[in-house]
């Protein structure tokens, strides 16, 4: 019985350590992503991700981001053109590719996914970004 309790206790400690490690990694990515956002995204999507109505879609409280994870990452990676619907409004603009590497894309996506009313428990990884092809 003591062995079983020891094993369970060890498993719980390992699980908590893993969760803390993942949370630390996410926070580090978000901090780097804020810098990327400031340098590359803020001019169009504005400081609080509100976008410009009928021109640049909002990133704040964005149903598009939450419901279209791969397409959102792909848009940042390769640029975006054509119609998309964000929070019930149609946008038909063009976003040029920013020339970001996969780590910068993962970081800025983690920043956007965890700010302005957006919340994602799943971290965007470099591996996920690199797997997305045109």
């Amino acid at each position: 019985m003591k062995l079983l309790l020891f094993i369970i206790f060890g498993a719980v400690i390992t699980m908590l350590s893993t969760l803390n490690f993942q949370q630390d990694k996410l926070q580090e990515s978000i901090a780097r992503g804020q810098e990327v956002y400031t340098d590359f995204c803020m001019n169009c999507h504005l400081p609080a991700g509100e976008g410009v109505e009928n021109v640049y879609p909002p990133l704040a409280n964005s149903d598009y981001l939450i419901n279209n994870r791969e397409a959102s990452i792909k848009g940042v990676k390769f640029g975006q053109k054509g119609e998309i619907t964000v929070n019930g409004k149609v946008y038909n603009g063009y976003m040029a590719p920013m020339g970001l590497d996969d780590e910068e894309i993962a970081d800025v996506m983690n920043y956007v996914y965890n700010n302005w009313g957006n919340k994602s428990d799943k971290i965007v990884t470099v591996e996920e970004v690199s797997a997305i092809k045109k």
Side-chain angles (χ1 to χ4, degrees):
M1 183 63 161
K2 286 182 182 180
L3 179 60
L4 180 60
L5 288 174
F6 181 76
I7 291 171
I8 292 171
F9 180 73
V12 168
I13 295 297
T14 300
M15 183 178 70
L16 290 175
S17 294
T18 300
L19 288 174
N20 284 338
F21 177 76
Q22 289 174 343
Q23 190 61 29
D24 289 346
K25 286 294 195 192
L26 177 59
Q27 292 307 314
E28 291 168 6
S29 177
I30 289 170
R32 291 189 306 266
Q34 183 176 15
E35 291 180 28
V36 174
Y37 184 85
T38 299
D39 291 344
F40 292 91
C41 312
M42 189 165 60
N43 286 338
C44 297
H45 294 284
L46 303 182
E50 64 269 30
V52 176
E53 191 169 355
N54 300 318
V55 181
Y56 302 115
L59 304 176
N61 294 304
S62 174
D63 63 350
Y64 184 84
L65 287 173
I66 300 304
N67 296 325
N68 299 281
R69 182 179 174 104
E70 184 174 332
S72 297
I73 296 168
K74 188 174 187 176
V76 173
K77 187 171 183 175
F78 299 111
Q80 172 75 43
K81 68 179 179 177
E83 285 190 0
I84 61 170
T85 302
V86 182
N87 300 339
K89 292 192 176 214
V90 176
Y91 292 84
N92 190 9
Y94 174 73
M95 181 176 81
M98 299 290 125
L100 302 173
D101 66 31
D102 289 348
E103 182 176 37
E104 290 169 319
I105 294 168
D107 290 341
V108 77
M109 293 305 296
N110 284 318
Y111 174 71
V112 170
Y113 273 126
N114 289 282
N115 277 287
W116 316 308
N118 300 318
K119 182 64 182 147
S120 177
D121 294 328
K122 184 178 177 195
I123 189 169
V124 178
T125 64
V126 172
E127 293 78 19
E128 180 181 7
V129 174
S130 67
I132 295 176
K133 306 298 180 204
K134 271 189 175 177

